[in-house]
Amino acid sequence: MPQVAIKRVDGKKTSTPAILEEVNALSEQIRQRAFESFERRGYDDGSALTDWLQAERELFEVPESELVEREEKFEARLSAPSFEPSEVQIIALPDALIVKAHSSHTQDRGDGDIRFRELEQKDLFRRFDLPSPIDVEQVSAKMDKGILQLTALKSKQADTSGRRTVSA
């Protein structure tokens, strides 16, 4: 299984990596589109998640995915059949896993004229907010047969309430 590179952001650094700034900008685009849906519905509460997911689908390729929580880890799987491991970026934060990918298909015209083409540029974006902190140094990602598999171990440090926390 080919490995996928992971950018780890542990919150201890004072500077924001450029990729995280880009992800924040993408999240802002989604937020604005979701708010537009909220406005169109006449500011009717109760559909924030639906608005957010619809905005993601309108702006990006949103893969079918799942997130499973186990005792010591989180496991996420995403369908990404048209992406190569080198086109995928994973960002591991203490409270989230973010997947971003860009793929563009080009074809030489060669000797023939193209009569039909559905291959195009694709952008994929998916953010998994996690209910408990993870150890960003213990995140792995692999691609197998068009499925991206992420594994994130939960942080081992716990606060007095029994919840896991990340040390500063």
Side-chain angles (χ1 to χ4, degrees), residues 15-28 91:
S15 64
T16 304
I19 186 69
L20 195 52
E21 290 176 4
E22 182 180 348
V23 167
N24 287 339
L26 295 173
S27 294
E28 178 61 19
I91 302 165

Side-chain angles (χ1 to χ4, degrees), residues 130-144:
L130 305 172
S132 59
I134 60 170
D135 180 348
V136 297
E137 297 302 323
Q138 297 295 318
V139 176
S140 62
K142 297 178 183 178
M143 185 85 83
D144 185 33

Side-chain angles (χ1 to χ4, degrees), residues 6 16 21 36 59 67 100 108-109 134 136 155 161 168:
I6 300 169
T16 304
E21 290 176 4
E36 290 168 5
L59 294 169
L67 176 66
K100 181 182 176 305
D108 292 334
R109 288 184 172 249
I134 60 170
V136 297
S155 175
S161 68

Side-chain angles (χ1 to χ4, degrees), residues 31-45 47-48 51:
R31 188 199 64 74
Q32 287 176 353
R33 180 72 60 97
F35 185 74
E36 290 168 5
S37 294
F38 176 66
E39 287 179 315
R40 281 192 302 272
R41 280 195 335 276
Y43 303 98
D44 184 27
D45 281 338
S47 298
D51 291 342

